[in-house]
Amino acid sequence: MTYQLFLFDLDDTLLDFRASEKRSFLHTMHELGLRDGIDGLFSQYQAINVDLWRRFETGDVTKDFLKVERFRKTFALNGIAIAPELASRLYLDSLPDTVVLIDGAREVCETLSRIGEVGIITNGVESIQNRRIAASGLSDYISFVATSEACGHAKPDVRFFEYAANMARAFSKETSIIIGDRLDADILGANRYGIASCWFNPDSMANTSAAIPTCEVASLHDIVPALGMIPVNLKQA
């Protein structure tokens, strides 16, 4: 079977969000005049941020609340008297300037864009994600960007994937595949929507979840061979 629509998660699939996140956090803290204990502060922030994103994906909190609350809670735990709204704004403004591509991102997007259509599916902040994609140099290979913010529903909600499918030039469940690093958002969403999925698992984590990927790769360079669809005339490209 030949896939024609490739729906990529963005953060930690094409863009190294963990690297970008830390750079932006450090920049923000320095802008706010904080210099000591930043690594410990970042570890606390990360744990709080992950929990809030999980709650956002289940509909318990809004994205606007999340953006500020993660800094409010981090600062409160450390007795830091700085407005979390200011920290949130500085952090988000710096994210497009700290973009780091995951190895193979440009190559896989370029190759698949010549085979079919590449779309982005993300729960991230729409304006920031668009700026980060522009800064990444991947824009030429991407046909559309579907965000939970514009949709009103987040991955793994089936309504989000219906929204993304409607943005494609042509859509068929049989010829579409979701590629992402999150079992609980990308792969589970694909399962619920009834389309194929490729789990990007660079850390070789065990799958103890209910999500079942169609295939699994440890490197973005392995995606095209794993799908068994690279044309002969592109092998030496």
Side-chain angles (χ1 to χ4, degrees), residues 177-196:
I177 187 165
I178 289 171
I179 303 158
D181 70 301
R182 290 272 305 279
L183 286 166
D184 57 349
D186 306 307
I187 308 306
L188 182 60
N191 292 166
R192 289 177 175 176
Y193 193 48
I195 64 176

Side-chain angles (χ1 to χ4, degrees), residues 7-232:
L7 298 172
F8 275 91
D9 171 55
L10 187 63
D11 290 319
D12 293 324
T13 299
L14 293 176
L15 303 186
D16 188 341
F17 183 74
R18 283 175 282 188
S20 180
E21 177 187 39
K22 186 165 188 178
R23 292 182 185 184
S24 293
F25 185 87
L26 293 177
H27 172 79
T28 299
M29 295 304 104
H30 289 164
E31 286 289 299
L32 295 172
L34 299 176
R35 295 289 189 276
D36 299 327
I38 301 300
D39 286 341
L41 204 64
F42 178 63
S43 294
Q44 288 182 322
Y45 166 86
Q46 275 190 309
I48 291 167
N49 190 41
V50 167
D51 177 65
L52 283 168
W53 275 106
R54 297 281 192 255
R55 292 171 61 193
F56 166 73
E57 289 166 358
T58 57
D60 292 337
V61 301
T62 66
K63 193 171 292 181
D64 284 340
F65 175 83
L66 175 157
K67 288 186 288 187
V68 176
E69 180 67 6
R70 54 192 177 182
F71 286 100
R72 188 199 67 76
K73 290 186 75 171
T74 302
F75 291 168
L77 284 172
N78 293 275
I80 297 172
I82 295 175
E85 294 84 0
L86 174 60
S88 177
R89 180 176 59 79
L90 290 172
Y91 172 77
L92 291 174
D93 284 348
S94 70
L95 275 175
D97 299 322
T98 60
V99 168
V100 178
L101 282 172
I102 287 179
D103 182 46
R106 188 184 309 277
E107 293 84 355
V108 73
C109 286
E110 181 179 10
T111 298
L112 293 180
S113 71
R114 288 187 277 170
I115 294 169
E117 184 177 18
V118 175
I120 298 296
I121 51 173
T122 175
N123 282 345
V125 180
E126 181 170 17
S127 61
I128 303 302
Q129 297 297 63
N130 286 332
R131 288 171 58 195
R132 294 175 69 230
I133 291 168
S136 73
L138 298 178
S139 298
D140 288 346
Y141 314 121
I142 294 169
S143 176
F144 63 90
V145 179
T147 68
S148 60
E149 190 171 339
C151 170
H153 304 285
K155 296 182 290 183
D157 194 307
V158 168
R159 290 169 292 186
F160 174 82
F161 296 101
E162 290 175 342
Y163 171 79
N166 286 330
M167 297 181 73
R169 292 192 296 263
F171 175 75
S172 164
K173 287 188 176 182
E174 290 73 22
T175 59
S176 301
I177 187 165
I178 289 171
I179 303 158
D181 70 301
R182 290 272 305 279
L183 286 166
D184 57 349
D186 306 307
I187 308 306
L188 182 60
N191 292 166
R192 289 177 175 176
Y193 193 48
I195 64 176
S197 61
C198 178
W199 182 27
F200 175 54
N201 184 20
D203 297 326
S204 299
M205 296 185 299
N207 182 2
T208 59
S209 74
I212 304 173
T214 307
C215 64
E216 177 182 337
V217 296
S219 167
L220 294 182
H221 293 288
D222 296 335
I223 288 176
V224 174
L227 297 182
M229 55 172 297
I230 185 165
V232 174

